[in-house]
Amino acid sequence: MSSALPFPSPAPAVPPSGSGAPSDLRGEWSLVMLSAASGAADAFAFLCAGRVFAGVMTGNLVLLGASAAGVGEKGVALRACLAVASYGVGAACGAWLTARWRRRLPLTLLAEVVLLTGAAGLWLLGPVAVGAYRPEVLTLVAAAMGVQARTRVTPTNYFTGTFTSLVGRRVLREPGGGERWVVARLVALVAGAAVAATAARWCPPLAAAVPVVPALVALVLETGRGRRSG
């Protein structure tokens, strides 16, 4: 007499990306806002805080290598090293927060908003000029981008892999949901950079505040999302 083997209970269904669930939509919009914050932070850092990037470490390492070969602006190596070190400290703090706190998303985003707001305040206290080197401002903005990198699994401040995957899926016609959100994040990145660059050109005192706004919106979205799921 054979006995039926017990089957494990099916795992609860996880709504696909862009499924329309309120918490899921909040999460997707949060990623879009963080992408905009990333674009704005990098544009601001490059134009106003030292001609290096706040969140694109590949670019900073390339600048460092070019400087080692005697090519590029004078002093860019030190600035690139400062950005990389600050980003690393931010990423380490973000990892610590996400590993030890239950409501890690709102907390890490709050830390990012505080860092970006501090950078905006310091920007107003010193020489407000495009092309200036502001190490204190660069430090805080790069640290904020490091924290952001540990906030969600989906990357919001480096997009080479995101763009590569999107192009590959489209060419091979592979099934994959949520592509419109991927495109939205890429567009938000460009839009954030454009707004920050416009502010740097026409109203420099406001340039540092541009990345604060989408980061703050993401914080509000994630806080509401956590309450709904909790």
Side-chain angles (χ1 to χ4, degrees), residues 142-183:
M145 291 298 99
V147 172
Q148 179 175 308
R150 297 292 308 186
T151 300
R152 297 284 295 271
V153 175
T154 303
T156 54
N157 54 5
Y158 45 94
F159 288 86
T160 302
T162 301
F163 182 71
T164 302
S165 298
L166 176 64
V167 172
R169 286 199 304 268
R170 297 303 297 174
V171 170
L172 300 177
R173 297 183 180 180
E174 294 177 348
E179 287 190 359
R180 67 181 182 275
W181 289 108
V182 176
V183 174

Side-chain angles (χ1 to χ4, degrees), residues 43-191:
F44 167 73
F46 189 84
L47 294 174
C48 301
R51 297 293 181 181
V52 292
F53 299 101
V56 185
M57 293 303 103
T58 302
N60 287 332
L61 293 175
V62 170
L63 291 173
L64 184 60
S67 178
V71 180
E73 294 184 11
K74 183 179 180 181
V76 71
L78 179 61
R79 287 173 270 161
C81 287
L82 177 62
V84 171
S86 301
Y87 181 94
V89 171
C93 293
W96 185 85
L97 289 172
T98 55
R100 285 167 172 75
W101 294 86
R102 181 174 176 270
R103 293 181 62 84
R104 56 187 181 273
L105 281 179
L107 188 60
T108 52
L109 287 176
L110 177 61
E112 178 183 352
V113 169
V114 169
L115 288 169
L116 290 175
T117 303
L122 289 176
W123 171 246
L124 292 176
L125 293 177
V128 178
V130 175
Y133 174 42
R134 299 288 302 277
E136 75 284 10
V137 176
L138 177 62
T139 298
L140 292 184
V141 177
M145 291 298 99
V147 172
Q148 179 175 308
R150 297 292 308 186
T151 300
R152 297 284 295 271
V153 175
T154 303
T156 54
N157 54 5
Y158 45 94
F159 288 86
T160 302
T162 301
F163 182 71
T164 302
S165 298
L166 176 64
V167 172
R169 286 199 304 268
R170 297 303 297 174
V171 170
L172 300 177
R173 297 183 180 180
E174 294 177 348
E179 287 190 359
R180 67 181 182 275
W181 289 108
V182 176
V183 174
R185 292 198 297 272
L186 293 171
V187 171
L189 177 77
V190 176

